[in-house]
Amino acid sequence: MLPIESIYPLLISELHCQSKVLLQAPPGAGKSTWLPLKLIRDGHFKRIIMLEPRRLAARNIAQFLATQQQEPVGQSVGLRIRNDVKVSNYTKLEIVTEGMLTRLIQTDPELTGVDLIIFDEFHERSLAADTALALALETQMALREDLKILVMSATLDTQRYQQFLGGPVVSCEGRSFPIDTVYEPLHDESKWLDAIAGLVVKALKEQHGSALVFLPGQREIHRVAQMLSAYKLSDTEIVTLFGDQDKHTQQAAIAPAKAGLRKVVLTTNVAETSLTIEGIRIVVDSGKRRAAQFNLRTGVTELSTVSISRSSAIQRAGRAGRIEPGVVYRLGSHEQFERRDSHDTPEVLSSDIASLLLEAKIWGTELIELPLLDQPSHGQIEQATQLLEMLEILDKNGKLTPLGNKVHSFGTEPRLAHMLIKAQALEAKLSGITTLACYFIALLESRVTSSPELRVALLNQLERPHHTFTVQLNQWLKRLKLAKPLTLATEHLSIIVALAFPDRLAKRRGQGFILANGAGVNSHDSHWLSDDYIAISALGGHKGQRIFSATDLSIKQLNDVLPYLFTHYSICEFDDKKGRFLHEDRTAIGELIIDAVPSSKEIDITTRTQAWLALIEKHGFVLFTQYDDVKPFLNRLSLASRFYPSEFNNLDELALFKEINKWLAPFLHDVKQLTQLKKLDLKSALISCLDWQQQQLLEQILPTRIQVPSGSNVKITYQLEGPAKVSVRMQEVYGLTETPKLCRGQLPLLMELLSPARRPLQLTQDLAHFWKNSYKEVQKEMKGRYPKHFWPDDPATSQATNKVKSRM
């Protein structure tokens, strides 16, 4: 009996009563196989869609369930993945992956006929899964109250997910078979890869059965396979399993070991979830994965090897207990394991979100309005918006363009869809450019290349194509109904790159290049050494600044074919170094200045004012010579905004700076020289932000001076954090029984009591307490040091003075 069977009645009850349910069940419990099959057999739902985050798992689950039904895939159990759709009118359970569910919802927002969506292995938090869940929740809230959503995983952050979804949690304890854990401490963390092969051999000697070895990527897989071959394991077959393999190779890897042999499967995260490999009872976990981190500056996703989270480690271990009791060998100590993060960072926080932003626009909403478990950062949204504008998907107002709708309907990554659609439109003018685009995509997707120069790499594939490249190419040629060419129109290559990667058009700057998105990258060691402009298709390495693949770029050709990439504008700015205004007419591609000539127009007041404001925004208020004198006033405004937001809204320094164009611009109209600007009466400009009532209120609640019992008006020093402060000679506050209050008692006042020589004697915020307690010690010392001054026994009731005793 599978563990999931014990909670099945409760789960059914919750699904009928609640619109959203969370299911937490360990690996091997049967949630991905037994449960969906039981649901359709019992007829609780007419049609179910189950989202699987990985194609290999989706394909195998669909095949397994169809076999259980004694049917081919496409009957009661269907499959919908990229380039492989098998569904029919008889389909009751449809296994989908990647962006397929998102596309289904965008095409039919009501999800006609579907009454349950299952999100399997949701802990992986792929961008596609987060997007699909957000749209499914929108559909449920606005269009389909009867639609049910079931979110499943072995390692959910339960409390947080439950709070987000607002549904009950159904938990399934225990697993099908127990799993023992063995930790293998490392003496040198940097040599972890060298230790893997030995750990695999150790596990094979200590245990029976086959082994699944988790590694970060293909490079490590091939390295370990090579090291294992040196051990001459005669009774063991070494196979590899990763996402880029064709499905036949993958099926062979997960098939049972041949009679009389054991199998060692070297794999990536592709086998971490929802996948049963027959005969596996040993897991060897490197504790590493390849993580994608999006570089906002360069617009490049960089891959790095990092430690997996505890939840991922639990998922990996679960592969060992699917068929019989198993054991997991973890590289590293138990202490190291406990120090890992509880969950991996979701893709929505570490990826290029251009596709997510496009989905939101197609859905008819803003990204921040979508019900996402984690909202991407402002920087991510800004970068994605700029990219979609360069791809003509959004206009300058952030609105979806007609081309944007075409790009979305094309059904592939926005960059590539834009390139293919535009290439087809240019075909009549630039013969062969569409076929060239197919070759370019095949090169990107197959990741086989022989040269950093794109032209050379493509011609090599034309003459001696790699098998993986051919598979990708044939799919694209078939889709666009094109024949294989005898030659390639590589003269259009830079246009192709510009259509897909307009943000990576680059101009030489010093020893490197600057990209159209403003980021700097390094020169290549051996290519494009004399080119002023290049079009880059692949970047990476340290800080995303290494050029992996590019080609030379003709600006004239680009302007002739893709004029929309060029902007023409005038600038007027003050050049700090030259001490004068720079007034130019410019032609640019993003941040790349292609051409600049002196402007024929005169600098009018508005233009000059905006230039001054830009200079102030660059340097801040410290640009003004009066700043130190004005700083106390700025502090008072900030405090007033904090304590009285309704009366002094947006008058703190940061808010004032954001609104500088409104209140400072009128004071700049007659400023023509930098010296004039620096001497500007900044305080008068700031006071103009306050009406008469605000000015009066400011003086009441936060006065610049306070009168003490001696009659002196003492200056108050305000700070943004902590109390206000006054420094006053002690004799001048005799008779004051409690500390004065500022801001109607909301702001504490710190009194620094001074000696007759104005040296600090005491700091206090409770004057009454000081008079009763610490004052006696001060009096004793001061009487001896300053005998001519008045040191009464009861200062709280004595007369204040600023004179010596003889003149009182």
Side-chain angles (χ1 to χ4, degrees), residues 553-606:
L553 171 66
S554 165
I555 290 296
K556 183 180 184 307
Q557 181 192 34
L558 193 68
N559 193 27
D560 289 342
V561 180
L562 305 177
Y564 71 89
L565 284 174
F566 294 79
T567 56
H568 307 276
Y569 60 92
S570 295
I571 67 103
C572 179
E573 60 187 32
F574 193 85
D575 190 319
D576 288 11
K577 295 180 180 179
K578 296 180 180 178
R580 61 179 176 82
F581 280 102
L582 185 65
H583 194 201
E584 293 180 338
D585 294 330
R586 291 180 177 177
T587 299
I589 302 175
E591 299 295 318
L592 299 183
I593 300 173
I594 306 301
D595 188 36
V597 296
S599 178
S600 58
K601 300 177 182 177
E602 290 187 9
I603 303 177
D604 56 30
I605 291 177
T606 301

Side-chain angles (χ1 to χ4, degrees), residues 309-519:
S309 65
R310 294 195 302 275
S311 64
S312 289
I314 292 170
Q315 290 285 351
R316 290 180 175 185
R319 302 305 100 192
R322 306 302 292 266
I323 308 297
E324 57 183 306
V327 59
V328 56
Y329 286 76
R330 287 189 175 131
L331 194 62
S333 67
H334 183 258
E335 291 74 19
Q336 287 176 315
F337 174 79
E338 291 297 329
R339 287 197 298 267
R340 292 177 184 170
D341 294 335
S342 59
H343 294 81
D344 294 328
T345 302
E347 284 187 2
V348 72
L349 299 179
S350 61
S351 302
D352 177 359
I353 60 162
S355 59
L356 172 59
L357 180 58
L358 175 56
E359 294 294 350
K361 295 294 184 180
I362 292 291
W363 191 247
T365 187
E366 295 302 318
L367 186 54
I368 59 173
E369 295 173 357
L370 279 181
L372 292 165
L373 184 59
D374 291 281
Q375 282 288 343
S377 68
H378 173 74
Q380 285 177 285
I381 296 174
E382 186 176 28
Q383 191 278 339
T385 302
Q386 291 174 351
L387 175 61
L388 294 184
E389 285 179 4
M390 293 191 81
L391 293 173
E392 305 174 282
I393 293 171
L394 300 180
D395 62 23
K396 294 300 180 182
N397 297 316
K399 302 297 183 183
L400 194 68
T401 65
L403 181 59
N405 279 296
K406 290 182 181 179
V407 165
H408 180 264
S409 64
F410 205 85
T412 191
E413 201 273 328
R415 289 180 183 273
L416 305 183
H418 175 263
M419 178 188 67
L420 289 168
I421 292 169
K422 295 286 286 189
Q424 288 176 313
L426 290 168
E427 183 65 34
K429 181 179 180 181
L430 305 176
S431 179
I433 192 171
T434 311
T435 302
L436 180 66
C438 291
Y439 267 75
F440 179 55
I441 292 183
L443 190 68
L444 292 176
E445 294 185 336
S446 64
R447 291 185 283 187
V448 294
T449 183
S450 55
S451 171
E453 170 52 60
L454 268 175
R455 186 174 286 100
V456 174
L458 286 172
L459 290 174
N460 285 340
Q461 292 305 320
L462 177 69
E463 297 172 6
R464 298 178 296 280
H466 189 282
H467 172 68
T468 306
F469 174 88
T470 300
V471 171
Q472 298 291 340
L473 176 65
N474 288 341
Q475 289 176 352
W476 285 108
L477 291 177
K478 180 180 178 180
R479 179 174 176 180
L480 273 68
K481 300 178 181 179
L482 297 170
K484 275 191 177 180
L486 297 175
T487 60
L488 283 178
T490 55
E491 65 272 18
H492 309 320
L493 188 53
S494 62
I495 301 298
I496 285 296
V497 178
L499 288 171
F501 301 98
D503 51 326
R504 298 184 197 170
L505 301 178
K507 179 182 180 180
R508 183 167 295 283
R509 183 183 66 178
Q511 298 302 309
F513 290 89
I514 182 172
L515 305 180
N517 63 17

Side-chain angles (χ1 to χ4, degrees), residues 139-302:
T139 289
Q140 188 184 65
M141 288 185 289
L143 303 170
R144 288 282 311 280
E145 291 183 358
D146 62 318
L147 180 67
K148 306 293 183 177
I149 294 175
L150 175 62
V151 177
M152 309 193 305
S153 177
T155 52
L156 287 175
D157 187 353
T158 310
Q159 184 176 358
R160 183 163 178 260
Y161 285 25
Q162 184 178 19
Q163 184 178 7
F164 171 71
L165 290 172
V169 177
V170 177
S171 295
C172 172
E173 299 298 332
R175 57 175 82 240
S176 296
F177 298 95
I179 298 172
D180 293 328
T181 303
V182 178
Y183 291 95
E184 185 74 10
L186 278 169
H187 297 295
D188 186 349
E189 177 70 20
S190 65
K191 296 182 179 179
W192 66 269
L193 185 57
D194 296 333
I196 289 291
L199 184 57
V200 172
V201 173
K202 175 185 176 181
L204 291 173
K205 288 180 179 179
E206 295 178 352
Q207 309 293 331
H208 68 272
S210 296
L212 184 63
V213 184
F214 283 100
L215 295 160
Q218 293 182 38
R219 180 176 61 84
E220 292 82 2
I221 285 175
H222 296 315
R223 170 82 181 278
V224 172
Q226 187 179 25
M227 288 191 288
L228 285 174
S229 65
Y231 283 93
K232 302 187 185 308
L233 304 170
S234 57
D235 65 338
T236 305
E237 179 186 11
I238 310 297
V239 298
T240 64
L241 177 64
F242 46 86
D244 285 345
Q245 293 171 313
D246 61 70
K247 63 182 179 181
H248 299 295
T249 304
Q250 290 177 338
Q251 292 300 323
I254 64 177
K258 298 175 183 176
L261 291 178
R262 306 170 77 183
K263 177 180 278 190
V264 172
V265 183
L266 305 177
T267 187
T268 62
N269 272 1
V270 72
E272 187 175 295
T273 54
S274 301
L275 187 65
T276 298
I277 302 179
E278 292 189 39
I280 296 294
R281 65 169 303 276
I282 307 167
V283 164
V284 178
D285 187 1
S286 69
K288 304 291 182 182
R289 69 183 178 99
R290 198 83 81 225
Q293 185 63 47
F294 186 63
N295 187 317
L296 281 174
R297 178 151 179 77
T298 60
V300 173
T301 298
E302 303 159 17

Side-chain angles (χ1 to χ4, degrees), residues 620-641:
F621 289 140
V622 293
L623 180 66
F624 298 98
T625 55
Q626 202 186 75
Y627 178 69
D628 288 340
D629 296 329
V630 171
K631 182 63 177 174
F633 184 66
L634 285 167
N635 285 350
R636 292 169 66 209
L637 289 178
S638 293
L639 292 170
S641 292

Side-chain angles (χ1 to χ4, degrees), residues 103-115:
R103 188 154 297 278
L104 286 172
I105 299 175
Q106 291 279 25
T107 303
D108 178 14
E110 293 187 12
L111 284 176
T112 306
V114 177
D115 43 10

